[in-house]
Amino acid sequence: MNDAARSENMRPLARLVARWRSSLLSLLLVAALAGALQGAYAAWRARADNAAISALAAGRDVETDSASAPELIAARAGFLAARAQFDKARALLEPLDSAGREELSAIAHYDLGNALLRNAFDLLERGQLEPAGPFVELARREYRRALQFRPEFWDAKYNLDVAARLVRDNPELEHSGGDELPADPKKIWTDIPGAPKGLP
């Protein structure tokens, strides 16, 4: 086979390689552009989240939703808890717990527990023992939740012990049974006619 024939046979292969190289370069260009756009969006989102967290730290509320960054949700939960908006703060903890960021969840539950316990102490200092009880119980629950996410969380263990001692020293603080009211031990028998009086 002479050089001219060999060259003629190589042309289709060369055209195929050129076409393949052109397609590959186009794909690489598209992938690089997509990566650059994704990186730019992530950087913009991080800046926006950091600005929102800074606003919360400065005392300005910022709306969040379940799609917000876990760090922003944790910061807003702490913001709300510090302002005694306990129900709103607790509502944010569920999407945070679902995000799988155990360290952030532990800190958020711990912060809410601290806010609840501070509220209980304020009530106790004013001599309002009965309203303080549910806050102590809720604080204990939040500390336990923090320890579920991070069992070695020493501060949560310590504060759980403080709350437990409060209940131990003041048994009337213990609130159990959900929405049920505790039975008065002096009224064991009902006042329905025909019910026995005195001891059984």
Side-chain angles (χ1 to χ4, degrees):
M1 184 179 286
N2 62 18
D3 289 342
R6 190 178 298 131
S7 175
E8 191 65 35
N9 287 339
M10 294 295 284
R11 277 190 192 141
L13 184 60
R15 279 197 298 268
L16 184 65
V17 168
R19 208 174 312 141
W20 178 78
R21 188 183 314 163
S22 174
S23 299
L24 182 63
L25 287 175
S26 298
L27 284 173
L28 287 173
L29 183 62
V30 168
L33 186 60
L37 287 173
Q38 188 175 8
Y41 175 75
W44 172 81
R45 184 71 188 253
R47 275 196 302 275
D49 289 342
N50 287 338
I53 290 169
S54 296
L56 288 166
R60 295 186 311 275
D61 195 5
V62 175
E63 287 299 318
T64 57
D65 57 28
S66 58
S68 298
E71 292 83 1
L72 180 55
I73 294 174
R76 184 155 190 253
F79 172 88
L80 293 170
R83 283 153 184 78
Q85 296 182 33
F86 304 122
D87 290 335
K88 286 184 179 180
R90 193 175 303 115
L92 290 175
L93 296 183
E94 187 175 327
L96 180 62
D97 295 347
S98 301
R101 300 285 300 277
E102 295 190 351
E103 183 78 17
L104 274 177
S105 291
I107 291 169
H109 283 281
Y110 171 75
D111 287 345
L112 178 56
N114 286 347
L116 289 161
L117 197 58
R118 273 193 299 274
N119 199 59
F121 278 128
D122 289 344
L123 290 168
L124 289 171
E125 285 173 4
R126 292 196 301 256
Q128 298 178 2
L129 202 62
E130 190 174 332
F135 289 103
V136 174
E137 286 299 316
L138 289 171
R140 288 171 65 184
R141 185 177 72 181
E142 294 304 327
Y143 293 136
R144 284 191 195 103
R145 194 81 175 106
L147 289 168
Q148 285 176 345
F149 286 107
R150 196 173 136 204
E152 75 284 356
F153 196 170
W154 190 87
D155 289 343
K157 288 179 186 179
Y158 181 84
N159 288 3
L160 177 60
D161 187 54
V162 168
R165 285 180 192 215
L166 267 176
V167 172
R168 232 182 351 257
D169 294 344
N170 303 288
E172 57 272 22
L173 285 177
E174 189 158 27
H175 178 77
S176 59
D179 294 334
E180 296 176 17
L181 295 172
D184 187 349
K186 296 175 188 163
K187 295 183 178 179
I188 294 176
W189 298 104
T190 64
D191 292 332
I192 299 172
K197 302 286 183 186
L199 294 173

mmCIF file of all heavy atoms in Angstrom, residues 156-196:
data_model
loop_
_atom_site.group_PDB
_atom_site.id
_atom_site.type_symbol
_atom_site.label_atom_id
_atom_site.label_comp_id
_atom_site.label_asym_id
_atom_site.label_seq_id
_atom_site.Cartn_x
_atom_site.Cartn_y
_atom_site.Cartn_z
ATOM 1 N N ALA A 156 -24.011 19.835 79.301
ATOM 2 C CA ALA A 156 -25.402 19.369 79.318
ATOM 3 C C ALA A 156 -25.629 18.402 80.475
ATOM 4 O O ALA A 156 -26.671 18.444 81.139
ATOM 5 C CB ALA A 156 -25.757 18.713 77.987
ATOM 6 N N LYS A 157 -24.647 17.536 80.739
ATOM 7 C CA LYS A 157 -24.760 16.614 81.887
ATOM 8 C C LYS A 157 -24.853 17.397 83.192
ATOM 9 O O LYS A 157 -25.668 17.088 84.062
ATOM 10 C CB LYS A 157 -23.538 15.690 81.948
ATOM 11 C CG LYS A 157 -23.497 14.631 80.874
ATOM 12 C CD LYS A 157 -22.237 13.795 81.017
ATOM 13 C CE LYS A 157 -22.093 12.812 79.872
ATOM 14 N NZ LYS A 157 -20.881 12.013 79.956
ATOM 15 N N TYR A 158 -23.999 18.414 83.328
ATOM 16 C CA TYR A 158 -23.968 19.211 84.555
ATOM 17 C C TYR A 158 -25.308 19.931 84.761
ATOM 18 O O TYR A 158 -25.880 19.903 85.846
ATOM 19 C CB TYR A 158 -22.816 20.217 84.491
ATOM 20 C CG TYR A 158 -22.706 21.070 85.733
ATOM 21 C CD1 TYR A 158 -22.029 20.602 86.844
ATOM 22 C CD2 TYR A 158 -23.306 22.323 85.790
ATOM 23 C CE1 TYR A 158 -21.936 21.367 87.996
ATOM 24 C CE2 TYR A 158 -23.226 23.094 86.926
ATOM 25 C CZ TYR A 158 -22.542 22.620 88.024
ATOM 26 O OH TYR A 158 -22.465 23.387 89.164
ATOM 27 N N ASN A 159 -25.809 20.577 83.702
ATOM 28 C CA ASN A 159 -27.059 21.322 83.831
ATOM 29 C C ASN A 159 -28.257 20.398 84.039
ATOM 30 O O ASN A 159 -29.201 20.756 84.736
ATOM 31 C CB ASN A 159 -27.269 22.210 82.604
ATOM 32 C CG ASN A 159 -26.317 23.391 82.592
ATOM 33 O OD1 ASN A 159 -25.461 23.532 83.464
ATOM 34 N ND2 ASN A 159 -26.448 24.245 81.602
ATOM 35 N N LEU A 160 -28.191 19.198 83.460
ATOM 36 C CA LEU A 160 -29.243 18.215 83.724
ATOM 37 C C LEU A 160 -29.240 17.836 85.200
ATOM 38 O O LEU A 160 -30.297 17.711 85.827
ATOM 39 C CB LEU A 160 -29.039 16.977 82.851
ATOM 40 C CG LEU A 160 -30.016 15.822 83.067
ATOM 41 C CD1 LEU A 160 -31.452 16.252 82.800
ATOM 42 C CD2 LEU A 160 -29.651 14.640 82.187
ATOM 43 N N ASP A 161 -28.052 17.701 85.764
ATOM 44 C CA ASP A 161 -27.939 17.392 87.189
ATOM 45 C C ASP A 161 -28.486 18.538 88.045
ATOM 46 O O ASP A 161 -29.159 18.307 89.045
ATOM 47 C CB ASP A 161 -26.475 17.103 87.542
ATOM 48 C CG ASP A 161 -26.324 16.609 88.975
ATOM 49 O OD1 ASP A 161 -27.001 15.625 89.338
ATOM 50 O OD2 ASP A 161 -25.556 17.226 89.735
ATOM 51 N N VAL A 162 -28.208 19.783 87.641
ATOM 52 C CA VAL A 162 -28.737 20.948 88.377
ATOM 53 C C VAL A 162 -30.265 20.921 88.359
ATOM 54 O O VAL A 162 -30.908 21.104 89.393
ATOM 55 C CB VAL A 162 -28.201 22.268 87.773
ATOM 56 C CG1 VAL A 162 -28.960 23.475 88.325
ATOM 57 C CG2 VAL A 162 -26.710 22.418 88.041
ATOM 58 N N ALA A 163 -30.844 20.678 87.183
ATOM 59 C CA ALA A 163 -32.304 20.627 87.073
ATOM 60 C C ALA A 163 -32.872 19.464 87.889
ATOM 61 O O ALA A 163 -33.911 19.605 88.544
ATOM 62 C CB ALA A 163 -32.712 20.506 85.604
ATOM 63 N N ALA A 164 -32.193 18.317 87.875
ATOM 64 C CA ALA A 164 -32.651 17.161 88.649
ATOM 65 C C ALA A 164 -32.596 17.460 90.142
ATOM 66 O O ALA A 164 -33.483 17.064 90.902
ATOM 67 C CB ALA A 164 -31.805 15.941 88.308
ATOM 68 N N ARG A 165 -31.540 18.181 90.576
ATOM 69 C CA ARG A 165 -31.455 18.544 92.004
ATOM 70 C C ARG A 165 -32.558 19.504 92.408
ATOM 71 O O ARG A 165 -33.061 19.436 93.530
ATOM 72 C CB ARG A 165 -30.092 19.168 92.290
ATOM 73 C CG ARG A 165 -28.983 18.154 92.330
ATOM 74 C CD ARG A 165 -27.666 18.809 92.616
ATOM 75 N NE ARG A 165 -26.601 17.860 92.361
ATOM 76 C CZ ARG A 165 -25.497 17.797 93.066
ATOM 77 N NH1 ARG A 165 -25.289 18.634 94.035
ATOM 78 N NH2 ARG A 165 -24.583 16.900 92.777
ATOM 79 N N LEU A 166 -32.916 20.401 91.504
ATOM 80 C CA LEU A 166 -34.031 21.317 91.789
ATOM 81 C C LEU A 166 -35.298 20.522 92.077
ATOM 82 O O LEU A 166 -36.027 20.820 93.021
ATOM 83 C CB LEU A 166 -34.285 22.226 90.587
ATOM 84 C CG LEU A 166 -33.605 23.572 90.555
ATOM 85 C CD1 LEU A 166 -33.914 24.279 89.245
ATOM 86 C CD2 LEU A 166 -34.009 24.434 91.719
ATOM 87 N N VAL A 167 -35.549 19.505 91.251
ATOM 88 C CA VAL A 167 -36.741 18.676 91.441
ATOM 89 C C VAL A 167 -36.611 17.854 92.716
ATOM 90 O O VAL A 167 -37.574 17.702 93.463
ATOM 91 C CB VAL A 167 -36.969 17.772 90.207
ATOM 92 C CG1 VAL A 167 -38.088 16.774 90.459
ATOM 93 C CG2 VAL A 167 -37.277 18.623 88.993
ATOM 94 N N ARG A 168 -35.386 17.335 92.971
ATOM 95 C CA ARG A 168 -35.179 16.538 94.178
ATOM 96 C C ARG A 168 -35.393 17.383 95.443
ATOM 97 O O ARG A 168 -35.994 16.933 96.413
ATOM 98 C CB ARG A 168 -33.750 15.974 94.178
ATOM 99 C CG ARG A 168 -33.689 14.502 94.396
ATOM 100 C CD ARG A 168 -32.335 13.874 94.448
ATOM 101 N NE ARG A 168 -31.185 14.668 94.104
ATOM 102 C CZ ARG A 168 -30.534 14.606 92.945
ATOM 103 N NH1 ARG A 168 -30.959 13.797 92.001
ATOM 104 N NH2 ARG A 168 -29.475 15.346 92.732
ATOM 105 N N ASP A 169 -34.893 18.624 95.413
ATOM 106 C CA ASP A 169 -35.034 19.496 96.583
ATOM 107 C C ASP A 169 -36.439 20.062 96.716
ATOM 108 O O ASP A 169 -36.857 20.447 97.810
ATOM 109 C CB ASP A 169 -34.028 20.655 96.507
ATOM 110 C CG ASP A 169 -32.591 20.163 96.609
ATOM 111 O OD1 ASP A 169 -32.386 19.004 97.040
ATOM 112 O OD2 ASP A 169 -31.672 20.933 96.257
ATOM 113 N N ASN A 170 -37.158 20.166 95.608
ATOM 114 C CA ASN A 170 -38.525 20.696 95.610
ATOM 115 C C ASN A 170 -39.414 19.738 94.820
ATOM 116 O O ASN A 170 -39.698 19.979 93.652
ATOM 117 C CB ASN A 170 -38.565 22.084 94.947
ATOM 118 C CG ASN A 170 -37.627 23.059 95.619
ATOM 119 O OD1 ASN A 170 -37.864 23.503 96.719
ATOM 120 N ND2 ASN A 170 -36.543 23.383 94.934
ATOM 121 N N PRO A 171 -39.847 18.643 95.426
ATOM 122 C CA PRO A 171 -40.626 17.635 94.680
ATOM 123 C C PRO A 171 -41.878 18.200 94.021
ATOM 124 O O PRO A 171 -42.362 17.654 93.033
ATOM 125 C CB PRO A 171 -41.006 16.610 95.744
ATOM 126 C CG PRO A 171 -40.062 16.834 96.873
ATOM 127 C CD PRO A 171 -39.645 18.270 96.808
ATOM 128 N N GLU A 172 -42.394 19.314 94.549
ATOM 129 C CA GLU A 172 -43.597 19.893 93.946
ATOM 130 C C GLU A 172 -43.315 20.488 92.554
ATOM 131 O O GLU A 172 -44.243 20.803 91.815
ATOM 132 C CB GLU A 172 -44.227 20.954 94.862
ATOM 133 C CG GLU A 172 -43.310 22.089 95.254
ATOM 134 C CD GLU A 172 -42.488 21.802 96.518
ATOM 135 O OE1 GLU A 172 -42.292 20.635 96.879
ATOM 136 O OE2 GLU A 172 -42.020 22.769 97.115
ATOM 137 N N LEU A 173 -42.042 20.618 92.190
ATOM 138 C CA LEU A 173 -41.686 21.099 90.849
ATOM 139 C C LEU A 173 -41.901 20.038 89.791
ATOM 140 O O LEU A 173 -42.043 20.354 88.622
ATOM 141 C CB LEU A 173 -40.206 21.534 90.796
ATOM 142 C CG LEU A 173 -39.842 22.848 91.453
ATOM 143 C CD1 LEU A 173 -38.343 23.059 91.366
ATOM 144 C CD2 LEU A 173 -40.569 24.002 90.798
ATOM 145 N N GLU A 174 -41.878 18.762 90.208
ATOM 146 C CA GLU A 174 -41.982 17.678 89.230
ATOM 147 C C GLU A 174 -43.370 17.668 88.631
ATOM 148 O O GLU A 174 -44.369 17.623 89.326
ATOM 149 C CB GLU A 174 -41.664 16.332 89.861
ATOM 150 C CG GLU A 174 -41.562 15.241 88.831
ATOM 151 C CD GLU A 174 -40.747 14.070 89.324
ATOM 152 O OE1 GLU A 174 -40.688 13.854 90.534
ATOM 153 O OE2 GLU A 174 -40.174 13.382 88.486
ATOM 154 N N HIS A 175 -43.406 17.743 87.315
ATOM 155 C CA HIS A 175 -44.665 17.769 86.581
ATOM 156 C C HIS A 175 -44.692 16.544 85.684
ATOM 157 O O HIS A 175 -43.852 16.397 84.823
ATOM 158 C CB HIS A 175 -44.750 19.045 85.735
ATOM 159 C CG HIS A 175 -45.997 19.123 84.928
ATOM 160 N ND1 HIS A 175 -47.201 19.453 85.478
ATOM 161 C CD2 HIS A 175 -46.221 18.904 83.616
ATOM 162 C CE1 HIS A 175 -48.116 19.443 84.527
ATOM 163 N NE2 HIS A 175 -47.545 19.113 83.387
ATOM 164 N N SER A 176 -45.611 15.669 85.908
ATOM 165 C CA SER A 176 -45.687 14.469 85.071
ATOM 166 C C SER A 176 -47.124 14.238 84.653
ATOM 167 O O SER A 176 -48.043 14.816 85.201
ATOM 168 C CB SER A 176 -45.158 13.251 85.847
ATOM 169 O OG SER A 176 -45.927 13.075 87.009
ATOM 170 N N GLY A 177 -47.286 13.380 83.682
ATOM 171 C CA GLY A 177 -48.642 13.037 83.250
ATOM 172 C C GLY A 177 -49.165 13.926 82.152
ATOM 173 O O GLY A 177 -50.360 13.979 81.922
ATOM 174 N N GLY A 178 -48.302 14.663 81.498
ATOM 175 C CA GLY A 178 -48.730 15.501 80.377
ATOM 176 C C GLY A 178 -49.679 16.579 80.829
ATOM 177 O O GLY A 178 -49.368 17.379 81.691
ATOM 178 N N ASP A 179 -50.894 16.594 80.249
ATOM 179 C CA ASP A 179 -51.876 17.632 80.567
ATOM 180 C C ASP A 179 -52.747 17.264 81.758
ATOM 181 O O ASP A 179 -53.604 18.045 82.161
ATOM 182 C CB ASP A 179 -52.784 17.883 79.354
ATOM 183 C CG ASP A 179 -51.990 18.469 78.196
ATOM 184 O OD1 ASP A 179 -50.963 19.107 78.459
ATOM 185 O OD2 ASP A 179 -52.410 18.274 77.052
ATOM 186 N N GLU A 180 -52.541 16.081 82.327
ATOM 187 C CA GLU A 180 -53.367 15.650 83.451
ATOM 188 C C GLU A 180 -52.978 16.410 84.708
ATOM 189 O O GLU A 180 -51.812 16.678 84.967
ATOM 190 C CB GLU A 180 -53.179 14.153 83.705
ATOM 191 C CG GLU A 180 -53.652 13.289 82.551
ATOM 192 C CD GLU A 180 -53.354 11.829 82.802
ATOM 193 O OE1 GLU A 180 -53.097 11.467 83.966
ATOM 194 O OE2 GLU A 180 -53.381 11.057 81.851
ATOM 195 N N LEU A 181 -53.986 16.733 85.496
ATOM 196 C CA LEU A 181 -53.734 17.396 86.768
ATOM 197 C C LEU A 181 -53.483 16.336 87.832
ATOM 198 O O LEU A 181 -54.130 15.296 87.846
ATOM 199 C CB LEU A 181 -54.938 18.257 87.176
ATOM 200 C CG LEU A 181 -55.227 19.447 86.256
ATOM 201 C CD1 LEU A 181 -56.541 20.098 86.656
ATOM 202 C CD2 LEU A 181 -54.102 20.454 86.323
ATOM 203 N N PRO A 182 -52.523 16.597 88.751
ATOM 204 C CA PRO A 182 -52.280 15.606 89.793
ATOM 205 C C PRO A 182 -53.473 15.512 90.731
ATOM 206 O O PRO A 182 -54.132 16.506 91.019
ATOM 207 C CB PRO A 182 -51.037 16.161 90.514
ATOM 208 C CG PRO A 182 -50.993 17.611 90.192
ATOM 209 C CD PRO A 182 -51.674 17.779 88.867
ATOM 210 N N ALA A 183 -53.737 14.293 91.203
ATOM 211 C CA ALA A 183 -54.852 14.080 92.125
ATOM 212 C C ALA A 183 -54.492 14.630 93.496
ATOM 213 O O ALA A 183 -53.358 14.532 93.943
ATOM 214 C CB ALA A 183 -55.167 12.597 92.225
ATOM 215 N N ASP A 184 -55.466 15.235 94.151
ATOM 216 C CA ASP A 184 -55.258 15.746 95.504
ATOM 217 C C ASP A 184 -55.349 14.565 96.459
ATOM 218 O O ASP A 184 -56.389 13.915 96.549
ATOM 219 C CB ASP A 184 -56.342 16.790 95.817
ATOM 220 C CG ASP A 184 -56.093 17.486 97.146
ATOM 221 O OD1 ASP A 184 -55.213 17.024 97.905
ATOM 222 O OD2 ASP A 184 -56.778 18.482 97.422
ATOM 223 N N PRO A 185 -54.263 14.264 97.218
ATOM 224 C CA PRO A 185 -54.304 13.081 98.080
ATOM 225 C C PRO A 185 -55.364 13.163 99.162
ATOM 226 O O PRO A 185 -55.788 12.158 99.709
ATOM 227 C CB PRO A 185 -52.900 13.033 98.695
ATOM 228 C CG PRO A 185 -52.266 14.348 98.415
ATOM 229 C CD PRO A 185 -52.994 14.966 97.274
ATOM 230 N N LYS A 186 -55.854 14.365 99.503
ATOM 231 C CA LYS A 186 -56.882 14.499 100.540
ATOM 232 C C LYS A 186 -58.252 14.096 100.015
ATOM 233 O O LYS A 186 -59.181 13.907 100.777
ATOM 234 C CB LYS A 186 -56.929 15.952 101.031
ATOM 235 C CG LYS A 186 -55.641 16.386 101.713
ATOM 236 C CD LYS A 186 -55.706 17.848 102.057
ATOM 237 C CE LYS A 186 -54.336 18.303 102.557
ATOM 238 N NZ LYS A 186 -54.174 19.729 102.543
ATOM 239 N N LYS A 187 -58.387 14.032 98.682
ATOM 240 C CA LYS A 187 -59.678 13.715 98.086
ATOM 241 C C LYS A 187 -59.590 12.398 97.330
ATOM 242 O O LYS A 187 -59.760 12.351 96.122
ATOM 243 C CB LYS A 187 -60.104 14.830 97.144
ATOM 244 C CG LYS A 187 -60.353 16.147 97.862
ATOM 245 C CD LYS A 187 -60.849 17.183 96.896
ATOM 246 C CE LYS A 187 -61.137 18.483 97.617
ATOM 247 N NZ LYS A 187 -61.596 19.526 96.729
ATOM 248 N N ILE A 188 -59.311 11.324 98.055
ATOM 249 C CA ILE A 188 -59.194 10.020 97.418
ATOM 250 C C ILE A 188 -60.561 9.523 96.986
ATOM 251 O O ILE A 188 -60.721 8.988 95.914
ATOM 252 C CB ILE A 188 -58.514 9.020 98.368
ATOM 253 C CG1 ILE A 188 -57.082 9.464 98.585
ATOM 254 C CG2 ILE A 188 -58.575 7.616 97.805
ATOM 255 C CD1 ILE A 188 -56.320 8.641 99.565
ATOM 256 N N TRP A 189 -61.553 9.716 97.835
ATOM 257 C CA TRP A 189 -62.908 9.265 97.500
ATOM 258 C C TRP A 189 -63.673 10.415 96.862
ATOM 259 O O TRP A 189 -63.516 11.562 97.212
ATOM 260 C CB TRP A 189 -63.654 8.780 98.758
ATOM 261 C CG TRP A 189 -62.967 7.604 99.364
ATOM 262 C CD1 TRP A 189 -62.204 7.605 100.472
ATOM 263 C CD2 TRP A 189 -62.973 6.279 98.864
ATOM 264 N NE1 TRP A 189 -61.720 6.355 100.718
ATOM 265 C CE2 TRP A 189 -62.173 5.516 99.742
ATOM 266 C CE3 TRP A 189 -63.562 5.638 97.780
ATOM 267 C CZ2 TRP A 189 -61.955 4.166 99.560
ATOM 268 C CZ3 TRP A 189 -63.354 4.295 97.603
ATOM 269 C CH2 TRP A 189 -62.547 3.576 98.489
ATOM 270 N N THR A 190 -64.537 10.091 95.935
ATOM 271 C CA THR A 190 -65.339 11.116 95.261
ATOM 272 C C THR A 190 -66.487 11.545 96.156
ATOM 273 O O THR A 190 -66.800 10.902 97.170
ATOM 274 C CB THR A 190 -65.906 10.570 93.949
ATOM 275 O OG1 THR A 190 -66.776 9.509 94.265
ATOM 276 C CG2 THR A 190 -64.790 10.112 93.030
ATOM 277 N N ASP A 191 -67.123 12.631 95.778
ATOM 278 C CA ASP A 191 -68.276 13.135 96.550
ATOM 279 C C ASP A 191 -69.588 12.618 95.974
ATOM 280 O O ASP A 191 -70.654 13.149 96.271
ATOM 281 C CB ASP A 191 -68.283 14.672 96.527
ATOM 282 C CG ASP A 191 -67.115 15.249 97.296
ATOM 283 O OD1 ASP A 191 -66.648 14.552 98.240
ATOM 284 O OD2 ASP A 191 -66.668 16.363 96.988
ATOM 285 N N ILE A 192 -69.525 11.575 95.127
ATOM 286 C CA ILE A 192 -70.749 11.021 94.562
ATOM 287 C C ILE A 192 -71.531 10.334 95.676
ATOM 288 O O ILE A 192 -70.958 9.613 96.492
ATOM 289 C CB ILE A 192 -70.407 9.999 93.454
ATOM 290 C CG1 ILE A 192 -69.648 10.707 92.342
ATOM 291 C CG2 ILE A 192 -71.640 9.314 92.921
ATOM 292 C CD1 ILE A 192 -69.089 9.753 91.297
ATOM 293 N N PRO A 193 -72.850 10.577 95.731
ATOM 294 C CA PRO A 193 -73.642 9.919 96.790
ATOM 295 C C PRO A 193 -73.488 8.395 96.699
ATOM 296 O O PRO A 193 -73.475 7.823 95.624
ATOM 297 C CB PRO A 193 -75.079 10.333 96.465
ATOM 298 C CG PRO A 193 -74.940 11.544 95.598
ATOM 299 C CD PRO A 193 -73.651 11.440 94.897
ATOM 300 N N GLY A 194 -73.329 7.789 97.843
ATOM 301 C CA GLY A 194 -73.192 6.347 97.912
ATOM 302 C C GLY A 194 -71.759 5.898 97.966
ATOM 303 O O GLY A 194 -71.468 4.741 98.221
ATOM 304 N N ALA A 195 -70.789 6.807 97.675
ATOM 305 C CA ALA A 195 -69.383 6.437 97.757
ATOM 306 C C ALA A 195 -68.991 6.345 99.221
ATOM 307 O O ALA A 195 -69.442 7.137 100.038
ATOM 308 C CB ALA A 195 -68.526 7.471 97.042
ATOM 309 N N PRO A 196 -68.170 5.363 99.582
ATOM 310 C CA PRO A 196 -67.817 5.215 100.996
ATOM 311 C C PRO A 196 -66.996 6.395 101.495
ATOM 312 O O PRO A 196 -66.236 6.989 100.751
ATOM 313 C CB PRO A 196 -66.985 3.928 101.014
ATOM 314 C CG PRO A 196 -66.515 3.751 99.611
ATOM 315 C CD PRO A 196 -67.521 4.379 98.750
#
